[in-house]
């Protein structure tokens, strides 16, 4: 039995802004099957504390970074949790990273340094009766934990997982003392990044192992285009870096039992979900494929390219339903597109139930990302018989088999890939989708292949467990 403390800023079903939460929430159950006991350490945001009314304090201090803190232990939704209750850092409205006006909280450095500090304290001294063999850090918010461990003189084994290299966790250098960070780590071979502190780099340099969420993204990170300035660090870590593909929660995303839709067996039973979605979105009937998008609206996701490619899809009888939120400029552009183009319906916002209805009802799901460490919505699409059309990058490249002539002849295609990631190549991919959709036998074969594709955690949970075993000290 290996005990792992998983440290993150989000976790389903308690707090979520993206796929990080899905993964952090799914790992404990997936790894239990591999003989790993995983507990999750989260910040005590309001919704997290509200979900754990019976949580018990296991440690407290009068002052951590400017206020009293308690470490709570509790359980909910099958998860064993530690929660850092620090009202001066987390008891506020808004989201985990942004205030109600959409601005970064000004003290985010301290909010997540405190989380990492707490992880190291649990690593060294334990929490109640429980002490981890290993700390698993997710993204920059947990990246400082390996440094806090070293600063305590205990180099507990650690894994740093990069879910998105674009978030570097930059902190001005004059914050070093306020965050109780050791001066020795502030150097180019340490956590220094062009004169600033980078919490992400701290994890990349001092984590015992570094993983990211797909093999292709792991390779992409060794080059300047995707490395976000850390490609040298990644190359220097050599074989310590690996890519382990994300899975999905197959209980939560199961078309035969999904409580958000009337359950169906795709592809045949899909017709109902599709008709319901067309009705709900107020879309006209058409001969082409009903495409869906469920996404954060950010530069990463390439949805500006989709705006350019849309008229061609609509001209071919396709329709598009988009659910997303984020960048206000993109939100406006999408609202305008829905006004201008019949056949395009847009919902701006975050809506878990609608995301299920859309992924269930679509013929195809579009993910034209400029980069995508793994991506989860194309995996949901596969499971629901909703054919993914994806950019050939990161985890999208690793999870979808392009319907090229060889794959079609071999009967193994599960979707459409395109490259380079341009509006032109996307438009061509949408043309290919329309051609495939116009041939029902071929399209159904692709749907069926996708539904059979392994999208669960099995193989990847075993890979994490093997990595833990490689570095954890025997008890
Ligand atoms: P990322 O983490 O980069 O946003 P992923 O594809 O890994 O990308 O994960 C996104 C997760 O967030 C998925 O579970 C997706 O269904 C969900 N999601 C994104 N936008 C919305 C939205 N507007 N409403 C509901 N769920 C959303
Ligand atoms: C990040 C990435 C996404 C990945 C998710 C979970 O948010 O953008 O590709 O699926 O983390 O690992």
């Amino acid at each position: 039995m290996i005990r792992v403390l998983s440290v993150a800023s989000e976790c389903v079903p308690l707090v979520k802004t993206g796929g990080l939460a899905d993964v952090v929430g799914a790992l404990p159950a997936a790894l239990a099957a591999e003989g790993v006991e995983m507990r999750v350490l989260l910040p005590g945001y309001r919704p997290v504390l509200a979900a754990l009314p019976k949580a018990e304090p296991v440690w407290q201090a009068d002052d951590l970074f400017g206020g009293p803190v308690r470490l709570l232990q509790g359980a909910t939704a099958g998860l064993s949790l530690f929660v850092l209750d620090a009202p001066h850092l987390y008891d506020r409205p808004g989201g985990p990273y942004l205030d109600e006006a959409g601005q970064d909280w000004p003290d985010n450095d301290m909010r997540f340094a405190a989380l990492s500090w707490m992880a190291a304290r649990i690593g060294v001294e334990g929490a109640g009766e429980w002490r981890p063999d290993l700390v698993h850090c997710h993204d920059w918010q947990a990246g400082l934990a390996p440094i806090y461990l070293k600063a305590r003189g205990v180099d507990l084994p650690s894994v740093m997982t990069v879910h998105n290299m674009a978030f570097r966790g930059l902190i001005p250098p004059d914050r070093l003392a306020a965050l109780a960070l050791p001066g020795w780590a502030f150097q180019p071979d340490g956590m220094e990044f062009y004169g600033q502190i980078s919490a992400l780099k701290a994890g990349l340099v001092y984590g015992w192992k570094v993983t990211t969420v797909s093999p292709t993204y792991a390779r992409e990170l060794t080059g300047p285009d995707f490395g976000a300035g850390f490609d040298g660090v990644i190359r220097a870590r050599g074989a310590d870096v690996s890519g382990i593909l994300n899975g999905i929660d197959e209980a939560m995303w199961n078309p035969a039992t999904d409580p958000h839709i009337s359950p169906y067996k795709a592809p045949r039973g899909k017709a109902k979900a599709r008709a319901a979605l067309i009705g709900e979105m107020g879309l006209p009937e058409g001969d082409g494929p009903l495409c869906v998008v469920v996404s954060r609206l950010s530069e990463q996701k390439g949805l500006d390219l989709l705006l350019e490619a849309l008229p061609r899809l609509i001209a071919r009888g396709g329709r598009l339903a988009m659910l997303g939120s984020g960048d206000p400029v993109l939100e406006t552009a999408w609202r305008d597109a829905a006004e201008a183009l019949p056949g395009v319906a847009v919902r701006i916002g975050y809506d878990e139930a609608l995301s299920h209805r859309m992924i269930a009802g679509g013929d195809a799901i579009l993910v034209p990302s400029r980069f995508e460490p793994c991506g989860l919505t194309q995996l949901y699409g596969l499971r629901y018989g909703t054919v993914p059309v994806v950019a050939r990058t990161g985890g999208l490249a690793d999870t979808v088999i392009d319907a090229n002539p060889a794959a079609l002849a071999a009967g193994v295609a599960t979707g459409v890939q395109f490259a380079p990631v341009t509006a032109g190549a996307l438009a061509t991919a949408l043309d290919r989708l329309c051609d495939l959709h116009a041939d029902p036998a071929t399209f159904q074969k692709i749907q069926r292949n996708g539904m059979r594709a392994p999208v669960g955690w099995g193989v990847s949970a075993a890979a994490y467990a093997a990595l833990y075993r490689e570095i954890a000290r025997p008890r």
Side-chain angles (χ1 to χ4, degrees):
M1 169 72 76
I2 298 179
R3 293 180 189 168
V4 176
L5 180 68
S6 177
V7 188
S9 55
E10 307 184 13
C11 179
V12 157
L14 302 171
V15 51
K16 165 167 168 176
T17 71
L20 170 65
D22 296 89
V23 172
V24 171
L27 277 178
L31 283 162
E34 299 290 331
V36 174
E37 189 200 343
M38 178 175 275
R39 298 196 184 180
V40 181
L41 171 65
L42 291 176
Y45 315 116
R46 284 180 182 176
V48 171
L49 292 177
L52 292 163
K54 294 198 192 120
E56 296 277 344
V58 289
W59 179 79
Q60 56 191 35
D62 292 339
D63 181 30
L64 175 65
F65 300 158
V69 299
R70 296 188 307 162
L71 181 66
L72 306 178
Q73 184 174 356
T76 185
L79 298 165
S80 290
L81 295 159
F82 291 113
V83 175
L84 177 56
D85 178 21
H88 63 299
L89 300 174
Y90 310 125
D91 181 14
R92 41 181 95 167
Y97 317 116
L98 309 177
D99 64 18
E100 285 171 304
Q103 302 297 314
D104 277 325
W105 293 110
D107 56 349
N108 272 348
D109 57 353
M110 198 162 257
R111 298 171 75 234
F112 297 110
L115 181 74
S116 301
W117 183 95
M118 194 66 230
R121 210 211 69 93
I122 296 174
V124 175
E125 294 172 36
E129 300 292 294
W130 195 81
R131 184 185 292 227
D133 304 306
L134 185 149
V135 176
H136 189 159
C137 311
H138 298 274
D139 275 353
W140 75 266
Q141 293 87 353
L144 293 170
I147 290 189
Y148 286 122
L149 278 166
K150 270 186 190 285
R152 284 170 170 264
V154 180
D155 200 7
L156 197 72
S158 54
V159 173
M160 175 72 197
T161 293
V162 181
H163 294 265
N164 196 328
M165 199 65 119
F167 299 106
R168 299 176 173 131
L170 295 182
I171 301 171
D174 60 8
R175 301 283 288 157
L176 203 72
L179 301 178
L181 286 165
W184 53 256
F186 189 67
Q187 40 120 347
D189 288 338
M191 64 181 175
E192 192 247 351
F193 183 73
Y194 295 100
Q196 308 239 77
I197 298 165
S198 161
L200 176 62
K201 191 179 171 198
L204 298 177
V205 171
Y206 296 106
W208 282 37
K209 294 281 181 185
V210 174
T211 72
T212 187
V213 289
S214 70
T216 292
Y217 193 58
R219 267 196 311 280
E220 288 171 342
L221 289 181
T222 62
D225 292 347
F226 295 89
F230 299 112
D231 45 300
V233 182
I234 293 294
R235 287 194 302 274
R237 292 299 310 259
D240 286 340
V241 182
S242 60
I244 301 178
L245 210 53
N246 286 337
I248 65 170
D249 184 326
E250 292 179 289
M252 212 177 277
W253 291 93
N254 179 349
T257 56
D258 192 327
H260 299 292
I261 58 170
S262 88
Y264 67 80
K265 285 224 162 69
R268 277 241 183 82
K270 198 176 175 62
K272 249 200 198 151
R274 185 178 187 278
L277 183 62
I278 287 178
E280 176 174 4
M281 290 288 173
L283 282 166
E285 284 297 338
D287 295 335
L290 171 60
C291 300
V292 298
V293 171
V294 176
S295 184
R296 290 186 292 118
L297 294 179
S298 75
E299 162 88 9
Q300 172 187 346
K301 301 294 178 179
L303 294 171
D304 50 321
L305 306 175
L306 180 56
L307 282 171
E308 282 182 57
L310 260 188
R312 175 109 143 248
L313 174 71
I314 304 302
R316 289 208 52 183
R319 279 138 304 152
L320 181 90
M322 202 286 299
L323 167 64
S325 61
D327 180 349
V329 174
L330 282 169
E331 288 185 355
T332 305
W334 274 97
R335 281 202 182 94
D336 292 349
E339 295 246 315
L341 282 173
V344 177
V346 168
R347 296 288 181 275
I348 299 295
Y350 185 92
D351 188 334
E352 189 74 32
L354 177 58
S355 74
H356 282 249
R357 294 197 296 276
M358 287 182 54
I359 288 165
D363 295 312
I365 183 159
L366 313 183
V367 195
S369 307
R370 292 191 165 86
F371 69 94
E372 196 61 78
C374 181
L376 296 175
T377 60
Q378 84 280 11
L379 301 177
Y380 303 150
L382 288 171
R383 191 95 202 278
Y384 280 66
T386 307
V387 174
V389 177
V390 302
R392 187 177 301 134
T393 186
L396 302 173
D398 291 338
T399 54
V400 175
I401 302 174
D402 180 58
N404 60 38
L408 285 172
V412 295
T414 61
V416 174
Q417 291 193 350
F418 67 94
V421 191
T422 60
L426 172 56
T428 305
L430 292 173
D431 264 338
R432 288 174 58 208
L433 173 74
C434 291
D435 294 343
L436 292 166
H437 182 258
D439 172 359
T442 303
F443 198 74
Q444 283 201 8
K445 172 73 176 154
I446 295 172
Q447 288 177 300
R448 284 212 178 83
N449 289 343
M451 287 155 49
R452 276 198 299 266
V455 291
W457 274 103
V459 171
S460 298
Y464 277 117
L467 189 69
Y468 297 157
R469 272 185 229 112
E470 191 185 328
I471 57 174
R473 295 192 185 97
R475 276 177 179 269

